[in-house]
Amino acid sequence: MRRARELRREMTLPELLLWRELHGKKAGLKFRRQFPVLDYVADFACVEVRLLIEIDGIAHDMGDRPGRDQRRDRILGEKGWRIVRIMAGDILKDAKDVAQSIAVLAESQRPLHHPADGPPPRAGEERP
């Protein structure tokens, strides 16, 4: 999506600081930035656990923006995404702490049991 590529080039300072902490599986999970989903572009996403991270600056409190954000969150939630909104000021204060909190939340969304890589071994073929 062209809009997502543009947003990646024009990331805000809070987005850049958080991305520095989340990218490269530093948090133990893969995060994507400016992730297109439906007709929207989320600031960050952990697709494995269907978690979207939105960074909210002061503009999210003005005009019709709160209503638009609620509508967007409802639509994405109905499609199985969990949306977490984080204040930009919190990231500016301590991006590492925010990233750690996101990683803990994302990890908690992983299934308890991961599927096996194949059928169980037959009798007598068990691994030592």
Side-chain angles (χ1 to χ4, degrees):
M1 175 184 245
R2 192 169 87 221
R3 179 72 180 135
R5 282 192 297 272
E6 291 171 4
L7 290 171
R8 283 184 205 111
R9 286 191 298 267
E10 302 167 6
M11 291 175 70
T12 65
L13 179 58
E15 290 170 342
L16 288 168
L17 293 172
L18 189 56
W19 179 241
R20 187 170 58 192
E21 299 300 325
L22 292 176
H23 85 283
K25 292 193 176 186
K26 288 180 185 174
L29 291 158
K30 181 178 181 178
F31 286 86
R32 297 178 185 191
R33 62 189 170 127
Q34 305 304 332
F35 179 73
V37 56
L38 301 176
D39 292 333
Y40 306 105
V41 178
D43 292 326
F44 298 98
C46 182
V47 177
E48 179 182 347
V49 296
R50 296 187 65 81
L51 177 66
L52 301 176
I53 309 298
E54 286 295 316
I55 300 173
D56 289 351
I58 192 137
H60 286 266
D61 294 332
M62 298 181 175
D64 69 340
R65 194 65 185 261
R68 287 183 12 213
D69 287 346
Q70 286 177 346
R71 186 171 45 257
R72 174 184 172 169
D73 291 356
R74 180 182 43 76
I75 291 167
L76 292 169
E78 289 170 356
K79 297 295 182 182
W81 290 95
R82 179 173 182 173
I83 299 91
V84 174
R85 294 191 166 275
I86 299 171
M87 296 305 299
D90 292 341
I91 296 167
L92 293 173
K93 288 178 194 167
D94 193 346
K96 190 173 290 242
D97 185 55
V98 171
Q100 181 61 37
S101 296
I102 292 169
V104 167
L105 174 63
E107 187 65 38
S108 75
Q109 301 302 302
R110 280 185 158 172
L112 293 177
H113 300 286
H114 298 283
D117 290 340
R122 290 182 265 174
E125 295 181 356
E126 291 86 11
R127 294 183 181 177

